[in-house]
Amino acid sequence: SQKIEQNSEALNIQEGKTATLTCNYTNYSPAYLQWYRQDPGRGPVFLLLIRENEKEKRKERLKVTFDTTLKQSLFHITASQPADSATYLCALEAGNQFYFGTGTSLTVIP
Amino acid sequence: DADVTQTPRNRITKTGKRIMLECSQTKGHDRMYWYRQDPGLGLRLIYYSFDVKDINKGEISDGYSVSRQAQAKFSLSLESAIPNQTALYFCATSVGDRGFGETQYFGPGTRLLVL
């Protein structure tokens, strides 16, 4: 089955710094990979999608990279703000099903 | 108004009881999903439906059943609840090209406690 690993430990960074979150996967070659944000007690919210033929995708302060050789995606938040504090999930589609990582909890300290 | 709604939002039940969680959407999407979320295990797919006549088991379907009553409604049932079904349950819809790029839209979740 699919295995998706994200930074297991919580990530604490200072406001204004760049946060980098890692997503590694095995056992499949997905056509695309997604990142979601989840706040406590709420459903995940879609942020970005990157396809296998795209090295990098940007949206405002967010940047995602996708290395199909390393089977890894990196998610960056530049100029981080306390409002960016949340859990971030990566997900991929395999065999008509979506598989999610366990998420990385990010706290941005003012 | 929310595009994907779930009822109830919180539920406490006893072992052996049958319960139903309901999901409605106004997004007009054909594809709908039920997930459960547990600490340390992340989101896991229970069932999914690509249209009213198409129901498929996900990664962890044992102990659950579903009904797709209409394009907009997808219900999850626990026939005989057990304590390890205590979890946060999410309904989701999706849109996009299968295999090329789908986006999922999640409901607010139902917190279920089985005593």
Side-chain angles (χ1 to χ4, degrees):
Chain A
S1 63
Q2 273 301 313
K3 185 174 182 181
I4 304 173
E5 293 184 345
Q6 297 187 243
N7 311 55
S8 57
E9 296 181 5
L11 182 62
N12 298 322
I13 64 167
Q14 210 68 36
E15 182 176 5
K17 300 293 185 183
T18 296
T20 298
L21 285 63
T22 304
C23 176
N24 294 292
Y25 60 92
T26 59
N27 299 340
Y28 197 70
S29 298
Y32 62 94
L33 191 143
Q34 303 175 336
W35 284 88
Y36 289 79
R37 168 184 173 141
Q38 186 174 23
D39 292 287
R42 308 190 72 166
V45 175
F46 171 77
L47 295 175
L48 280 170
L49 179 154
I50 185 165
R51 296 189 175 87
E52 59 180 342
N53 61 346
E54 298 174 315
K55 295 292 185 186
E56 181 180 296
K57 200 80 166 282
R58 292 176 183 263
K59 179 182 178 182
E60 299 173 350
R61 294 184 296 110
L62 307 180
K63 185 179 84 171
V64 173
T65 63
F66 192 13
D67 188 324
T68 56
T69 300
L70 292 178
K71 292 186 179 294
Q72 180 182 81
S73 176
L74 298 179
F75 177 80
H76 307 272
I77 305 176
T78 59
S80 60
Q81 304 167 358
D84 295 327
S85 298
T87 296
Y88 292 86
L89 310 173
C90 67
L92 58 84
E93 180 199 339
N96 286 331
Q97 299 191 30
F98 285 92
Y99 295 90
F100 285 79
T102 54
T104 297
S105 176
L106 172 67
T107 300
V108 180
I109 303 165
Chain B
D1 288 340
D3 296 316
V4 183
T5 58
Q6 293 183 234
T7 55
R9 293 295 313 278
N10 294 280
R11 179 74 184 268
I12 299 174
T13 192
K14 295 182 178 180
T15 297
K17 295 291 187 181
R18 181 182 188 277
I19 66 164
M20 178 182 289
L21 309 183
E22 299 188 357
C23 176
S24 294
Q25 54 117 343
T26 58
K27 301 189 76 67
H29 295 164
D30 287 328
R31 300 172 203 140
M32 298 187 72
Y33 306 79
W34 274 105
Y35 292 89
R36 64 178 281 176
Q37 188 172 40
D38 300 274
L41 293 178
L43 280 162
R44 291 181 293 165
L45 183 62
I46 306 172
Y47 270 95
Y48 61 103
S49 170
F50 288 167
D51 64 39
V52 175
K53 297 180 181 179
D54 181 76
I55 305 286
N56 303 279
K57 293 182 178 180
E59 192 180 359
I60 53 163
S61 58
D62 288 348
Y64 302 94
S65 62
V66 291
S67 172
R68 184 83 183 266
Q69 302 95 323
Q71 187 210 33
K73 295 184 181 297
F74 193 33
S75 300
L76 176 72
S77 294
L78 286 67
E79 298 300 326
S80 179
I82 56 177
N84 76 0
Q85 291 178 313
T86 293
L88 185 55
Y89 289 85
F90 288 104
C91 174
T93 70
S94 73
V95 66
D97 295 323
R98 184 133 287 270
F100 186 66
E102 284 191 51
T103 299
Q104 296 212 310
Y105 297 86
F106 286 82
T110 294
R111 192 170 296 277
L112 175 66
L113 173 62
V114 183
L115 300 174

